[in-house]
Amino acid sequence: MARKQTTSVTPSSGIGLDLHLELDGIGLRVGLTEALRAAVRSGRLASGTRLPASRALASDLGVARSTVTEYYTTLVEEGWLVARHGSGTHVAQRAVPRGAPEQDIQPHQHTLGLQPGAAEYPDFPRASWLAAARKALAAAPHSAFGYGDPLGRMELRRALADYLSRVRGVDADPRRIAITSGYHHGLGVLARALRAEGVGTVAVEAYGLGLYRHVLQDAGMETHALEVDERGARLDDLADLVPGSAAMLTPAHQFPTGHALSADRRNALLDWARATGGVVLEDDYDGEFRYDRKPIGALQGLDPDHVVYFGTASKSVAPALRLAWAVVPERLMSAVGVAKGRVDTVSVLDQLTFTEFVTSGKFDRHVRSRRQSYRTRRDQLVTTLAVRAPDVRVLGMSAGLQVALVLPSGTEERILQAATRQGFFVSGLSEFRHPLAPRPAPWSDGLVVNFSAVSDSAWPTALESLASVLP
């Protein structure tokens, strides 16, 4: 039986192309031709892939150039390769790899997605972001190209401290800010830090993203559901928690019901934290997008010693940046540093670009532009529903990137199915309810509609489709 070996052809010159081939021990010429046929046949070498020059490949294999030239010529004659003067040797165009099932190549069929998390991003500020990236890269010190501070670049932490203090009322010392790769990552870091400090229970809102409950549970913490009404999370059950527990809330704009935590409950929450040594995890969800008046300031500004403030660029700019931040009480910074690790987890170049984006004022202008656009969409949605579906109630205040709609009892599943048949997707309100919430839900049936999820051109069609399936 012929011996099979795997050979990775790497150019010794440093300027050629790498090529991985699996060679059978049946002679060099036959082995090479069979290995290349197999790579093309399987689709591993796609149509148009450029191959190493014959001289470079011969040098790497330690054979005469004429041997490789003959090898290439044979495969060109068989139709596996094409050789063009001045452009080298490439894998030939093949409709379907031999032995592979034929598949029709269809253009992507766009489906309107109005569920939270789905999005179109035609308004990403490409020009201003590119300008910020060029300026940041030109000014970056040589040290910026190393592994970086685990807590993030100090330039960005200073810029965020100024911005959050000015815009959200956060008490943000740069030394107490940790830069993370998105909110999901940041929450995981804090959960591990709290668990290391002995915190075993976190109170969460009865309505919220299950993904984040799982992050807490993965860190070994139990979650306790707090019911939600028109004044935000109900705090009665906090008295049942052991001292030193934590509570995770969205006080500026509860997700997904859309209510703000009332002033008396904000004070009661902080009183609980002070009296018990508890920690409040403040997810400033959609905090910058309030349309009827100035956004509500962050809870953290009232008690920075007991509140961890989370913010992110995912909603204001784009999730692809994987850029978020946590403003942490001094007593937890050591545990957060350990939980985050020894090396920065966020692209330093993206941090420097975002620093320039913030300090230049481009971030402020972008957020204001998005706020006006989303306000227009929300107003159009509310006006349309008032005419087309007067029995459907819009929950919450005029803020955020989605609305919760209260439906007649028993209709949620039927309407979700009707929406799917119409070619668009929304989420049911029940999808976000904590499975262990003890009391009956205050809103039994509903939808959560993300009005920021489609492009401007698609929005009228999406709005009409939504109105057509509502009672």
Side-chain angles (χ1 to χ4, degrees):
M1 182 175 180
R3 179 174 60 86
K4 188 173 186 177
Q5 64 181 13
T6 298
T7 296
S8 181
V9 179
T10 306
S12 57
S13 64
I15 59 174
L17 301 173
D18 289 347
L19 180 63
H20 172 83
L21 296 173
E22 292 186 351
L23 305 181
D24 289 321
I26 54 177
L28 180 62
R29 180 179 178 280
V30 174
L32 284 172
T33 54
E34 284 300 320
L36 190 54
R37 288 191 191 103
V40 176
R41 186 183 296 116
S42 68
R44 186 169 64 80
L45 289 182
S47 298
T49 299
R50 185 175 181 178
L51 301 182
S54 59
R55 185 188 303 277
L57 185 57
S59 174
D60 296 330
L61 290 172
V63 299
R65 182 183 181 187
S66 59
T67 301
V68 176
T69 301
E70 182 182 359
Y71 152 63
Y72 275 177
T73 300
T74 299
L75 294 174
V76 168
E77 291 173 349
E78 292 178 358
W80 294 95
L81 306 179
V82 292
R84 300 185 184 91
H85 181 70
S87 62
T89 304
H90 297 73
V91 176
Q93 295 292 327
R94 300 178 61 80
V96 181
R98 291 183 180 178
E102 294 189 8
Q103 297 179 354
D104 292 333
I105 300 176
Q106 299 290 342
H108 174 68
Q109 298 297 318
H110 181 72
T111 301
L112 295 174
L114 300 181
Q115 70 272 40
E120 292 280 347
Y121 297 103
D123 296 310
F124 181 82
R126 297 171 189 260
S128 54
W129 184 263
L130 181 59
R134 285 173 172 162
K135 187 171 182 178
L137 187 60
H142 296 315
S143 61
F145 299 95
Y147 287 106
D149 186 334
L151 295 177
R153 291 291 299 186
M154 184 53 73
E155 298 98 322
L156 178 55
R157 293 157 69 187
R158 292 193 189 99
L160 284 172
D162 292 342
Y163 176 82
L164 295 173
S165 176
R166 171 172 57 86
V167 175
R168 303 296 298 127
V170 173
D171 185 332
D173 184 328
R175 295 168 297 179
R176 293 189 290 106
I177 296 178
I179 307 301
T180 63
S181 182
Y183 173 64
H184 182 283
H185 174 229
L187 180 59
V189 168
L190 262 297
R192 293 191 297 275
L194 290 174
R195 194 70 191 94
E197 294 289 300
V199 178
T201 303
V202 182
V204 300
E205 294 159 330
Y207 284 92
L209 285 170
L211 171 66
Y212 300 141
R213 296 194 293 265
H214 295 323
V215 171
L216 298 172
Q217 292 162 358
D218 289 345
M221 307 176 84
E222 295 182 0
T223 60
H224 182 89
L226 303 176
E227 199 53 80
V228 174
D229 60 23
E230 290 84 356
R231 297 167 59 215
R234 297 181 55 173
L235 307 179
D236 316 55
D237 292 344
L238 288 179
D240 297 335
L241 304 184
V242 299
S245 296
M248 182 177 73
L249 284 80
T250 50
H253 186 233
Q254 203 283 322
F255 177 85
T257 65
H259 298 289
L261 190 66
S262 63
D264 61 324
R265 291 186 182 179
R266 288 162 69 93
N267 291 328
L269 178 63
L270 295 177
D271 288 344
W272 165 81
R274 297 183 191 113
T276 66
V279 178
V280 178
L281 305 179
E282 178 183 14
D283 177 4
D284 196 22
Y285 194 86
D286 291 348
E288 62 271 68
F289 293 111
R290 180 150 189 181
Y291 313 123
D292 55 351
R293 61 182 177 87
K294 185 177 180 180
I296 297 172
L299 186 71
Q300 188 268 2
L302 299 176
D303 194 338
D305 293 331
H306 290 90
V307 180
V308 178
Y309 173 91
F310 291 97
T312 174
S314 293
K315 297 295 186 297
S316 55
V317 186
L321 296 182
R322 308 312 307 139
L323 190 60
W325 43 88
V327 184
V328 183
E330 179 63 36
R331 63 189 174 95
L332 292 176
M333 280 303 296
S334 177
V336 166
V338 172
K340 194 168 187 294
R342 296 180 176 86
V343 176
D344 200 344
T345 54
V346 183
S347 164
V348 171
L349 298 182
D350 285 342
Q351 291 184 61
L352 294 176
T353 299
F354 192 64
T355 301
E356 172 62 25
F357 196 59
V358 172
T359 57
S360 67
K362 292 183 174 70
F363 184 50
D364 281 84
R365 291 191 289 273
H366 175 72
V367 170
R368 286 199 299 271
S369 173
R370 292 296 83 221
R371 186 186 297 130
Q372 182 58 48
S373 176
Y374 294 148
R375 176 178 183 171
T376 299
R377 286 195 185 189
R378 190 185 191 280
D379 290 347
Q380 290 171 344
L381 189 152
V382 172
T383 299
T384 299
L385 295 188
V387 175
R388 300 282 299 277
D391 293 333
V392 173
R393 180 164 62 97
V394 178
L395 283 182
M397 59 187 182
S398 180
L401 307 184
Q402 62 279 315
V403 295
L405 307 179
V406 179
L407 301 173
S409 180
T411 63
E412 180 180 305
E413 185 59 33
R414 175 175 59 80
I415 291 174
L416 289 174
Q417 292 174 357
T420 301
R421 289 193 296 271
Q422 289 279 355
F424 73 98
F425 296 93
V426 292
S427 296
L429 189 57
S430 60
E431 174 185 333
F432 302 97
R433 185 159 175 81
H434 194 298
L436 301 180
R439 300 188 184 94
W443 303 285
S444 57
D445 287 76
L447 300 180
V448 180
V449 180
N450 180 1
F451 53 80
S452 71
V454 296
S455 63
D456 288 340
S457 60
W459 170 240
T461 299
L463 183 56
E464 173 59 31
S465 298
L466 174 65
S468 70
V469 301
L470 294 175

